[in-house]
């Protein structure tokens, strides 16, 4: 088996070099041949006889494998396949955010802190593994030398570039000071002359002379203050570009060194055998060096032209550094490092201020308000002074032209929406904060403080529109709205819900709602034009994941403002004290003219009413009150409501009642009183009512088959008593799909039930809910006639969790890493597990491998509960969390417990299997001598043939490259100076001593190399710990003696845990995420549960829907269910989106939306997915 494991590595890199031959390094868990009888069975795992037979079988297998290889047959063992699959899984796991970004910009993903940490971790581990393995299996020792050169050259390049940039920046400032002062620096010369005389006389400065010198310097400093220097970017910025330049230069030169260096010649091989690359690089440099220095002695091969000196690599390095600094110098003195050049927004701000001062800012058009292109050309070409007081045209004319060029190049990006937000990542750290807010709001505040009672109290103090004694009520009359000539006598209004998620999906729905007329494609009736609704009713959940000001502004208001602009007088900071805000300032007065009493009825523009959802109640309705009840506009829609519930009187004896169910899923007593009085006093017996609420309890109660919680008690009492036989339709959201249920009984007076929650949030499944449901206490039967997506499509989408959960929820990796490593923390290390694997899997069959893994994992599982402490805590906590996460709404308690425990056991099994794999791999590396280990048990180990990677690289650095910097003149001992030496001599001495201390005393390079020697650290610490745990013949494989374990110092345990834990996390995290996704897929398709957790993980932007309702001339209600099957992810500015006149309202524009899809496609067109007509009573 040992030969089989070696085959995995040696097959790709060749046979190991003779200087790095494999030796059998003694390990403490092996049985000593001198141990007394009986003790050998305890010291180690196997007695001498069993161990000898296992080794013989392994050697026979190795010889047979070698023979088969000579015959041309490749041998691949099962463990090799596992290793290869894990390596592929590792790279796939690392690159997962870039395979499927789900609307998240790749730049934003790469700039996140999580991605940077994970990238550093993976690069670190990959580098440590390659630096350990490649020299071991390669005959080219130049890898060690090139690696030593790389670390040294990279540090030196970074410091040189930083120092060079600093010198160039100082020179630029001196040049600018001389230029701005007009060449007259008399005060500065006088100050330096006075100081020079003081230094020559070796006399300290007096108080008067210091004052004079200070005044002279201040005069020079104040002289150019009339024309201040422009603000520059910092000389080290951007540091990532500087580090990248140093990295590319160092890596390129190290590759050249690796390819051209000859250890035999101790020089670079420029002969024909060295290759054209080496000849083309080093021969011209050698000729140039001879022309510069003809007195230097040459070696024989250098005289023949077949080799080149090692110092030429530093000539190449100096040329690279000089080229970079020369390019930086050109850009510095050309003004390309000014912030005006890098950030054209400064110029835009300056132009905006100039326009305001000239009084021309009031004539800005709508296309200029967000792009910031106002007066750019005129500002850059005019001789006006900028914000620093300098003359832009006269002082730096090239900067203005360059800024304009960059602005034009960026015009393509500015024609796209900026700073857009992706779909909410529910499986990340925010899920814990959101869950805590829910728990706090529902269990602590709810029932103690209800914002709806406060709204009722404030409303009672408001006077009515016609009488001082009349109580102002949340009742709005649209039955007699103002109509233009030629308009039909019908009435249109819209419904949408659950909208505040990613920008693409939310804006797509808002854009479709804003169009004056929507051409809807119907499979049976062709294309039909549906006009925009007078009313827009939004059914709650305005911003995800919680009602923060940022989420309300960016995820909710921004999408509607881009879909249809608010009036020019709109300010986000404004707090409305009078509603409705009519007439509108800045818009055509004729469009909103009317009496004070019926201003809302005479208003021709669209109006919106908004119901709060459960996510809006997480903060006790505070954000909803501030941003909905205290604002007048949602884009181009007017917001007249003052409470979270309302009643709308529509034409043809129709009513729409909006209810606020809060978090207790019911209306409060104040709402009940208002709607009951409304039904008795304002409604007729033949009126038709549409009831709108956020949660569709008719679906959820049937879904919770084995739960009998009473919900909507007050609302059902209102419907059954005061609104009896009047309710024709119920609308709800919360579930992010579309369904429509109708009563099974013929000619029933029961309402139709419609769920439409596809306003922008992630998609919910439809196949987890039954086609037939029973509603209410009377268990009235309803049947589902339409669903979008249908059950078959929903079931297929559920299986995406099998392979896409890990990709789309990579931020959950930190949770898998902590929990799974915690479940194995008490089991490290497994001493002797490699020999146990060899004995148990001697036949190298798949069945033997699976049996070994299963039996050993069960042993480790038992060890957790028998002797584990930290592992036991993590295992029990994970099992409890798994049960709490399981959706038991439609499951029996026994089924929920068994299913959650199966998930927990699967995760624990994955954690222990990865532990077994990592420990076997660690001992395999030790047994085969791939890394160096110390003699910790008194046995003499041959370490000369092991790759002490860090030591080898550092030795090459010490012998080859350290002298290059240590012998530099700056590190030489300074000559004896007088006690009263000059100030610049003191500075030189301080800098020299500091650099000397950094290079000679601080082992920075050695510490860095040690960090990249993780395999060596793991091996040495593993041997050291096993020497203690297996002492005196103690059994140390699957059970450690706590008394011996306490003999280990904490530093050793911590070092081993961190070192091997990094590799362990890389292997276990992708498996844990994939297993969780599999569990979700099985839960959705087998048990029909986890509908929320299973689809929030997919974060689907597509499959959006909303309703357009129509009251025709006969008084019948038509319902058009409209979908957007696919959502665009690339947008461009609509050139037609502009008003015909300056004061034209945005709702009169033919193209009110700012952005349109980047390319037109039929899949983005709105489609009709359902149609029904409800006859009036």
């Amino acid at each position: 088996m040992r030969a089989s494991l070696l085959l995995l590595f040696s097959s790709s890199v060749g046979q190991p070099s003779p200087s790095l031959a494999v030796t059998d390094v003694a390990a403490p868990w092996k049985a000593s041949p001198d141990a007394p009888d009986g003790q050998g069975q305890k010291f180690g795992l196997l007695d001498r006889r069993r161990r000898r037979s296992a080794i013989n079988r392994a050697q026979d297998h190795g010889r047979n494998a070698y023979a088969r290889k000579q015959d041309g047959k490749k041998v691949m063992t099962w463990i090799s396949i596992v290793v290869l699959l894990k390596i592929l899984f590792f790279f796939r796991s690392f690159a997962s955010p870039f395979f499927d970004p789900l609307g998240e910009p790749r730049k934003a993903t790469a700039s996140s802190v999580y991605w940077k940490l994970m990238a550093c971790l993976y690069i670190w581990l990959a580098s440590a593994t390659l630096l350990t393995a490649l020299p071991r299996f390669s005959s080219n020792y130049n890898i060690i030398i090139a690696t030593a050169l790389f670390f040294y050259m990279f540090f030196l390049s970074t410091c040189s570039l930083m120092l060079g940039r600093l010198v160039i920046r100082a020179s630029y400032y001196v040049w600018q000071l001389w230029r701005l002062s007009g060449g007259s620096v008399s005060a500065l010369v006088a100050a330096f002359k006075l100081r020079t005389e003081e230094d020559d006389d070796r006399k300290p400065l007096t108080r008067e002379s210091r004052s004079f010198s200070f005044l002279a310097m201040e005069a020079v400093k104040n002289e150019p203050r009339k024309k201040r220097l422009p603000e520059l970017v910092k000389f080290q910025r951007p540091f990532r570009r500087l580090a990248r330049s140093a990295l590319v230069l160092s890596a390129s030169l190290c590759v050249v060194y690796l390819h051209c260096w000859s250890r035999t010649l101790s020089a670079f091989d420029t002969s024909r055998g060295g290759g054209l690359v080496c000849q083309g690089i080093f021969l011209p440099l050698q000729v140039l060096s001879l022309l510069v220095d003809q007195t230097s002695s040459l070696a024989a091969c250098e005289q023949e032209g077949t080799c080149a000196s090692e110092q030429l690599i530093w000539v190449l390095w100096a040329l690279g550094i000089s080229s970079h600094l020369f390019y930086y110098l050109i850009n510095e003195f050309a003004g390309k490092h000014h912030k005006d050049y890098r950030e054209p927004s400064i110029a835009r701000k300056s132009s905006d201020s100039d326009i305001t001062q000239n009084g021309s800012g009031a004539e800005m058009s709508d296309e200029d308000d967000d792009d910031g292109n106002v007066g750019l050309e005129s500002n850059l070409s005019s001789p006006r002074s900028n914000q620093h007081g300098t003359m832009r045209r006269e002082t730096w004319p090239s900067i203005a032209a360059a800024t304009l060029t960059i602005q034009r190049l960026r015009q393509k990006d500015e024609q796209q929406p900026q700073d857009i937000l992706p779909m909410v990542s529910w499986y990340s750290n925010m899920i814990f904060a959101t869950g805590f807010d829910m728990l706090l709001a529902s269990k602590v505040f709810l029932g103690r403080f209800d914002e709806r009672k406060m709204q009722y109290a404030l409303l009672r103090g408001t006077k009515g529109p016609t009488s001082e004694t009349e109580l102002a009520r949340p009742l709005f009359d649209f039955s007699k709205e103002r109509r233009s000539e030629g308009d039909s006598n019908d009435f249109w209004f819209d419904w949408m819900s659950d909208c505040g998620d990613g920008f693409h999906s939310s804006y797509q729905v808002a854009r479709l709602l804003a169009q004056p007329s929507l051409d809807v494609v119907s499979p049976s009736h062709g294309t039909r034009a549906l006009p925009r609704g007078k009313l827009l009713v939004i059914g709650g959940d305005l911003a995800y994941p919680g009602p923060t000001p940022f989420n309300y502004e960016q995820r909710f208001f921004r999408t509607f403002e881009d879909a249809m602009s608010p009036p020019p007088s709109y300010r986000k900071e404004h707090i409305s004290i009078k509603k409705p805000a009519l007439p509108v300032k800045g818009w055509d007065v004729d469009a909103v003219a009317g009496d004070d009493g019926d201003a809302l009825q005479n208003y021709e523009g669209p109006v919106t009413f908004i119901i709060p959802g459960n996510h809006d109640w997480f903060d006790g309705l505070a954000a909803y009150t501030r941003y909905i009840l205290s604002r007048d506009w949602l884009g181009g829609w007017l917001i007249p409501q003052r409470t979270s519930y309302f009643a709308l009187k529509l034409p043809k004896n129709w009513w729409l009642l909006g209810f606020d169910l809060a978090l207790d899923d019911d209306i409060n007593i104040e709402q009940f009183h208002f709607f009951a009085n409304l039904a008795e006093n304002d409604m007729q017996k033949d009126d038709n009512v549409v009831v709108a609420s956020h949660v569709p309890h008719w679906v959820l109660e049937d879904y919770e088959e084995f739960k009998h919680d009473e919900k909507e008690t007050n609302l059902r009492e209102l419907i059954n008593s005061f609104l009896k036989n009047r309710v024709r339709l119920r609308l709800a959201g919360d579930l992010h799909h579309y369904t429509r249920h109708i009563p099974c009984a013929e000619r029933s007076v029961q309402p139709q039930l419609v769920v439409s929650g596809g306003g922008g949030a992630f998609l919910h499944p439809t196949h987890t809910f039954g086609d037939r449901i029973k509603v209410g206490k009377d268990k009235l039967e309803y049947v589902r006639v339409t669903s979008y997506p249908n059950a078959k499509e929903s079931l297929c989408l559920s299986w995406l969790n099998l392979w896409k959960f890990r990709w789309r929820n990579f931020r959950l990796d930190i949770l898998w890493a902590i929990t799974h490593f915690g479940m194995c923390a008490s089991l490290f290390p497994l001493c002797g597990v490699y020999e146990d694997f060899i004995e148990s899997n001697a036949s190298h069959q798949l069945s033997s491998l699976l049996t070994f893994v299963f039996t050993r994992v069960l042993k480790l599982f038992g060890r957790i509960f028998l002797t584990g402490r930290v592992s036991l805590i993590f295992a029990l906590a994970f099992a409890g969390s798994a049960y709490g996460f399981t959706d038991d709404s439609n499951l029996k308690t026994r089924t929920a417990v068994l299913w959650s425990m199966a998930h927990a056991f699967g995760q624990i099994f994955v954690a222990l299997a990865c532990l077994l794999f990592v420990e076997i791999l660690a001992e395999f590396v030790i047994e085969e001598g791939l890394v160096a280990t110390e003699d910790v048990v008194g046995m003499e180990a041959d370490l000369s043939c092991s790759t002490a990677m860090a030591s080898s690289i550092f030795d090459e650095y010490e012998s080859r490259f350290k002298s290059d910097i240590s012998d530099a003149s700056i590190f030489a001992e300074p000559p004896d100076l007088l006690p009263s030496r000059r100030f610049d001599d003191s500075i030189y001495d301080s800098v020299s001593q500091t650099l000397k201390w950094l290079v000679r005393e601080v082992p920075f390079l050695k510490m860095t190399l040690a960090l990249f020697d993780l395999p060596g650290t793991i091996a040495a610490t593993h041997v050291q710990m096993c020497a203690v745990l297996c002492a005196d013949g103690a059994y140390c494989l699957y059970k450690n003696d706590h008394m011996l374990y306490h003999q280990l110092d904490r530093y050793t345990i911590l070092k081993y845990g961190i070192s091997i834990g990094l590799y362990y996390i890389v292997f276990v995290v992708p498996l844990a995420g994939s297993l969780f996704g599999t569990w979700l897929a099985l839960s959705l398709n087998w048990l029909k549960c986890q509908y929320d957790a299973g689809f929030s993980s997919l974060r689907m932007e597509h499959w959006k829907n909303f309703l357009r309702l129509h009251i025709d001339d006969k008084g019948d209600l038509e319902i058009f269910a409209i979908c957007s099957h696919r959502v665009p992810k690339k947008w461009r500015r609509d050139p037609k989106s502009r008003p015909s006149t300056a004061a034209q309202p945005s709702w009169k524009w033919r193209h009110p939306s700012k952005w349109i899809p980047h390319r037109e496609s039929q899949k983005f067109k709105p489609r009709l997915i359902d149609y029904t007509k409800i006859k009036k009573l």
Side-chain angles (χ1 to χ4, degrees), residues 280-290 312-313 315-316 319:
I281 293 177
F282 291 105
L283 286 181
L285 292 177
Q286 189 172 6
V287 174
L288 181 62
S289 63
L290 290 177
L312 292 182
I313 198 69
V315 176
L316 285 175
L319 290 176

Side-chain angles (χ1 to χ4, degrees), residues 509-779:
V509 176
R511 184 179 71 91
L512 296 178
L513 289 169
Q515 302 307 308
S517 180
L518 196 62
D519 295 331
V520 179
V521 179
S522 174
S524 58
H525 299 86
T527 303
R528 179 175 177 178
L530 304 179
R532 180 178 57 214
K534 166 69 176 181
L535 303 178
L536 171 61
V537 182
I538 302 178
D541 281 358
L542 310 181
Y544 292 97
T548 62
F550 176 82
N551 289 336
Y552 263 73
E553 289 286 1
Q554 297 299 321
R555 296 189 182 273
F556 180 59
F557 276 91
R558 179 191 174 175
T559 56
F560 283 89
E561 290 170 1
D562 287 354
M564 189 161 59
S565 302
S569 59
Y570 168 75
R571 293 186 305 109
K572 294 182 178 180
E573 300 81 8
H574 175 69
I575 299 177
S576 178
I577 59 176
K578 179 184 178 181
K579 286 195 172 187
L582 298 175
V584 184
K585 297 180 181 179
W587 277 353
D588 190 2
V589 179
D590 295 337
V592 296
D595 300 332
D596 296 338
D598 56 352
L600 187 60
Q601 295 183 12
N602 294 332
Y603 178 65
E604 296 181 1
V607 182
T608 183
F609 293 88
I610 303 171
I611 303 171
N614 57 313
H615 284 266
D616 304 308
W617 267 94
F618 287 168
D619 64 343
L621 218 63
Y624 176 88
T625 302
R626 172 61 183 90
Y627 289 92
I628 303 301
L629 304 183
S630 300
R631 280 192 178 181
D632 295 318
W633 297 96
L634 174 63
W637 287 268
L638 179 66
I639 308 177
Q641 71 183 97
R642 288 171 290 179
T643 59
S644 58
Y645 54 93
F646 49 82
L648 309 179
K649 187 177 181 180
L650 308 179
K652 308 297 183 180
N653 297 333
W654 280 90
W655 293 77
L656 192 149
L657 308 182
F659 295 93
D660 181 8
L661 303 182
L663 292 178
D664 56 355
D665 296 325
D666 203 358
I667 61 175
N668 59 338
I669 300 301
E670 288 75 15
Q671 281 191 83
F672 186 92
H673 288 167
F674 165 71
F675 288 108
N677 293 328
L678 182 71
E680 288 187 345
N681 301 326
D682 296 271
M683 291 185 182
Q684 304 297 325
K685 293 183 179 181
D686 57 345
D687 283 355
N688 305 270
V689 178
V690 178
V691 173
S693 59
H694 176 65
V695 182
H697 287 291
W698 57 86
V699 176
L700 296 180
E701 286 186 356
D702 184 80
Y703 175 77
E704 299 172 357
E705 183 177 355
F706 300 96
K707 310 296 178 184
H708 303 282
D709 298 335
E710 293 292 336
K711 297 178 180 179
E712 292 187 342
T713 305
N714 298 337
L715 180 58
R716 287 176 180 174
E717 175 63 22
L718 178 68
I719 294 176
N720 296 331
S721 300
F722 296 90
L723 300 175
K724 187 175 183 180
N725 298 331
R726 295 177 184 174
V727 179
R728 307 305 311 280
L729 174 67
R730 291 201 61 178
L731 298 176
D734 192 53
L735 297 179
H736 309 158
H737 56 231
Y738 172 80
T739 59
R740 181 168 64 89
H741 292 78
I742 62 175
C744 293
E746 296 182 1
R747 298 180 180 180
S748 175
V749 295
Q750 298 299 323
Q752 294 193 28
L753 310 176
V754 175
V755 178
S756 178
F762 64 90
L763 180 67
H764 269 146
T766 57
H767 71 281
T768 55
F769 305 97
D771 289 334
R772 288 182 173 269
I773 61 175
K774 295 181 180 180
V775 179
K777 293 183 178 181
D778 298 333
K779 301 300 180 182

Side-chain angles (χ1 to χ4, degrees), residues 454-473:
M454 183 64 66
Q455 296 173 11
Y456 181 78
L458 295 176
L459 198 62
R460 287 182 62 87
T462 307
K463 297 179 181 180
T466 59
S467 174
E468 296 184 357
T469 60
E470 182 184 357
L471 174 65
R473 300 182 297 169

Side-chain angles (χ1 to χ4, degrees), residues 948-963:
M949 186 270 295
S951 301
S952 300
I953 296 178
F954 190 75
D955 292 341
E956 290 295 334
Y957 160 74
E958 289 278 347
S959 60
R960 290 179 177 271
F961 308 117
K962 185 178 181 180
S963 59

Side-chain angles (χ1 to χ4, degrees), residues 158 161 171 211 266 284 297 336 343 378 414 487 546 646 674 683 755 784 833 838 867 938 940 1014 1026 1135 1157:
T158 304
L161 292 177
S171 303
S211 301
S266 296
S297 59
K336 294 184 179 181
E343 301 177 5
S378 61
E414 292 184 350
D487 290 348
F646 49 82
F674 165 71
M683 291 185 182
V755 178
R784 185 172 64 185
V833 67
I838 291 178
T867 61
E940 184 176 356
L1014 279 180
C1026 290

Side-chain angles (χ1 to χ4, degrees), residues 123-319:
I123 293 174
W124 180 18
L125 295 179
S127 303
T129 305
L130 292 176
L131 288 176
T132 303
L134 289 182
R136 171 64 184 84
F137 292 102
S138 176
S139 59
N140 192 354
Y141 190 75
N142 288 353
I143 296 178
I144 295 292
I145 305 176
T147 304
L149 176 64
F150 170 76
F151 286 101
Y152 168 61
M153 185 175 287
F154 176 71
F155 294 145
L156 193 61
S157 301
T158 304
C159 296
S160 301
L161 292 177
M162 290 277 289
L163 183 61
R165 287 186 171 196
L166 178 61
V167 172
I168 292 174
R169 177 57 54 84
S171 303
Y172 176 77
Y173 272 124
V174 171
W175 176 71
Q176 285 292 344
L177 286 173
W178 178 272
R179 184 167 176 242
L180 293 178
S181 62
S184 175
V185 288
S186 56
L188 181 62
V189 172
F192 278 106
K193 182 177 180 181
L194 176 62
R195 181 169 181 180
T196 303
E197 294 176 355
E198 294 285 349
D199 291 340
D200 292 341
D201 296 338
R202 298 295 189 266
K203 296 180 181 180
L205 291 174
T206 62
R207 184 172 183 180
E208 292 76 9
S209 60
R210 287 176 178 171
S211 301
F212 178 79
S213 177
F214 176 76
L215 293 176
M217 292 295 295
E218 286 294 319
V220 175
K221 192 185 302 182
N222 293 331
E223 182 177 355
R225 194 171 289 175
K226 299 178 182 178
K227 297 181 179 180
R228 294 180 58 187
L229 290 175
E231 189 176 359
L232 303 180
V233 296
K234 297 180 179 180
F235 69 93
Q236 77 276 13
R237 295 293 184 183
F239 183 78
R240 61 180 181 275
R241 188 177 301 174
L242 185 147
R244 183 175 58 191
S245 301
L247 179 65
V248 171
L249 177 63
S250 304
S252 303
L253 294 182
C254 288
V255 170
V256 172
Y257 194 102
L258 174 65
H259 177 67
C260 301
W261 179 253
S262 173
R263 297 180 64 194
T264 304
L265 300 175
S266 296
F268 293 110
D269 187 4
T270 57
S271 62
R272 292 185 178 180
L276 295 177
V277 175
C278 301
Q279 294 177 358
I281 293 177
F282 291 105
L283 286 181
L285 292 177
Q286 189 172 6
V287 174
L288 181 62
S289 63
L290 290 177
L291 295 177
V292 174
D293 187 6
Q294 300 180 357
T295 61
S296 60
S297 59
L298 300 177
C301 63
E302 291 182 286
Q303 296 177 357
E304 297 174 359
T306 59
C307 69
S309 173
E310 185 180 14
Q311 300 299 324
L312 292 182
I313 198 69
W314 293 107
V315 176
L316 285 175
W317 175 81
L319 290 176

